[in-house]
């Protein structure tokens, strides 16, 4: 299996996944769903990095993905803790109702 | 064969990603995201990164999404309450974003260097690209400082998450200047159920 699939296919797929995630993050009102969309976008970025790492035959892209995974784990933990705290205060995580800091 | 596997799992990833975004029930959306992550992990293997594929399944599907499910069930998140009212700004931002995305896609498809990998087939998968050994050697020599910083970041995240999500103590709740929460008071949920 020495590369019968062009790398550009992977890039197009990653762009599609990213666009789907971005659309979700912009249109959903449920905080958790927005979070899921962000995870989807992070994963699309990871796919791009691995694809380029394959194209150039370098492992630097894979190392960056490793760090992205760790940061995503930290982000998910802190973000979900924030949602729990917000829910305790306001009894909702619907972002249309969390408009205290909105201009 | 490789093309068939790619097409199958790419289609699976896109369909389950649409379900993640479109499904109103957050539990189903989360389960669908698991499917997306699995498909992307398969593509990682095709791209010669089996270690990252394993990490993807272990960390993402195994840990992060279980955390998501815990929080969804803890908060009893229901279907979305308020209807979607996009502001004009959001609509213009969405159109701009879609335009940028289409431009990027067109660039990708029409730049012949990427469409055919510069005319030459991809090089064979090398030992240094695929093996865990090379990755680990880099991680502990070239990228040692970022590696340690990520460890510190995870520690900070654990401490921060448990501090933020901690139930406030009685005196904190009654401290002057603190606004009482709306809806049912916190005291009500202190009772054992």
């Amino acid at each position: 299996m020495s590369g019968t699939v062009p790398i550009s296919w992977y890039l197009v797929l990653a762009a599609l996944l990213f666009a789907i995630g971005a659309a979700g993050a912009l249109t959903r009102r449920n905080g958790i769903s927005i979070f899921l969309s962000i995870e989807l976008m992070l994963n699309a970025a990871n796919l791009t990095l691995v694809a380029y790492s394959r194209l150039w035959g370098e492992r630097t892209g894979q190392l960056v993905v490793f760090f992205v995974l760790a940061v995503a784990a930290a982000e998910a933990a802190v973000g979900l803790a924030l949602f729990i705290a917000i829910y305790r205060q306001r009894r909702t995580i619907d972002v249309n109702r969390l408009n205290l800091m909105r201009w | 064969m490789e093309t068939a596997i790619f097409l199958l799992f790419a289609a699976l990833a896109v369909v389950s990603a649409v379900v993640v975004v479109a499904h109103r029930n957050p539990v189903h959306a989360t389960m669908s995201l698991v499917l997306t992550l699995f498909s992307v992990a398969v593509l990682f293997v095709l791209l010669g990164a089996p270690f990252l594929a394993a990490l993807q399944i272990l960390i993402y599907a195994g840990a992060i999404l279980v955390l998501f499910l815990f929080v969804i069930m803890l908060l009893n998140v229901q279907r979305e309450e308020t209807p979607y009212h996009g502001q004009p700004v959001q609509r213009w931002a969405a159109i701009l974003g879609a335009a940028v995305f289409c431009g990027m896609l067109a660039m990708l498809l029409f730049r012949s260097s990427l469409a055919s990998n510069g005319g030459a087939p991809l090089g064979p998968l090398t030992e240094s690209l695929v093996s865990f050994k090379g990755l680990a050697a880099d991680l502990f020599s070239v990228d040692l400082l970022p590696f340690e910083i990520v460890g510190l970041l995870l520690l900070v995240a654990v401490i921060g998450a448990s501090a933020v999500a901690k139930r406030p103590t009685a005196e904190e709740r009654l401290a002057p200047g603190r606004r009482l929460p709306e809806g049912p008071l916190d005291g009500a949920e202190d009772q054992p159920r």
Side-chain angles (χ1 to χ4, degrees):
Chain A
M1 48 177 254
S2 60
T4 52
V5 180
I7 290 296
S8 57
W9 292 15
Y10 289 99
L11 298 181
V12 170
L13 172 66
L16 263 178
L17 288 180
F18 189 90
I20 294 170
L26 287 175
T27 56
R28 301 312 300 263
R29 282 86 68 205
N30 182 338
I32 300 268
S33 297
I34 292 177
F35 229 143
L36 289 175
S37 306
I38 291 174
E39 298 291 335
L40 194 58
M41 287 156 75
L42 274 171
N43 220 254
N46 282 350
L47 185 59
T48 314
L49 285 166
V50 176
Y52 273 118
S53 145
R54 172 78 180 91
L55 179 62
W56 305 126
E58 285 268 336
R59 354 175 236 272
T60 317
Q62 297 190 11
L63 282 168
V64 174
V65 171
F66 179 84
F67 290 121
V68 171
L69 276 177
V71 173
E75 170 244 341
V78 174
L80 290 174
L82 277 176
F83 277 130
I84 291 179
I86 291 171
Y87 187 83
R88 204 169 267 152
Q89 283 274 329
R90 310 291 301 268
R91 293 280 161 238
T92 180
I93 53 167
D94 186 315
V95 292
N96 274 2
R97 292 170 195 268
L98 302 177
N99 50 10
L100 193 63
M101 292 171 71
R102 185 183 275 182
W103 46 275
Chain B
M1 182 62 192
E2 194 191 338
T3 310
I5 295 176
F6 172 84
L7 288 177
L8 176 65
F9 282 97
L12 196 59
V14 169
V15 168
S16 55
V18 169
V19 173
V20 170
V21 167
H23 209 290
R24 300 196 152 269
N25 187 335
V27 176
H28 293 182
T30 310
M31 297 318 283
S32 184
L33 187 58
V34 172
L35 199 58
T36 313
L37 297 177
F38 261 90
S39 315
V40 175
V42 171
L43 298 182
F44 280 2
V45 173
L46 279 186
L47 284 167
F51 179 60
L52 289 180
L55 276 189
Q56 166 108 336
I57 291 174
L58 284 177
I59 298 183
Y60 253 118
I64 295 184
L65 289 187
V66 169
L67 191 63
F68 268 94
L69 279 180
F70 261 122
V71 172
I72 288 171
M73 294 180 176
L74 182 68
L75 300 188
N76 192 17
V77 180
Q78 296 301 323
R79 289 144 193 274
E80 295 179 340
E81 304 162 7
T82 55
Y84 176 61
H85 295 302
Q87 293 180 348
V89 183
Q90 284 174 331
R91 190 166 304 132
W92 286 111
I95 291 174
L96 186 69
V100 169
F101 171 69
C102 289
M104 284 193 323
L105 213 58
M107 280 274 286
L108 269 178
L109 289 177
F110 292 118
R111 285 248 322 249
S112 56
S113 65
L114 275 176
S116 62
N117 294 324
L122 281 177
L125 283 171
T126 53
E127 173 74 20
S128 79
L129 188 68
V130 180
S131 72
F132 303 176
K133 213 169 146 189
L135 210 59
D138 271 2
L139 218 47
F140 284 98
S141 59
V142 186
D143 287 322
L144 184 60
L145 184 63
F147 184 72
E148 296 292 341
I149 291 176
V150 158
L152 191 65
L153 176 76
L154 284 173
L155 177 66
V156 171
V158 167
I159 295 173
S162 37
V164 167
K166 188 168 66 80
R167 184 187 296 279
T169 58
E171 63 258 35
E172 273 173 359
R173 208 175 296 144
L174 297 176
R178 182 184 158 88
R179 202 168 60 88
L180 282 177
E182 298 162 3
L185 290 181
D186 260 358
E189 64 171 323
D190 282 339
Q191 310 296 328
R193 299 182 188 178

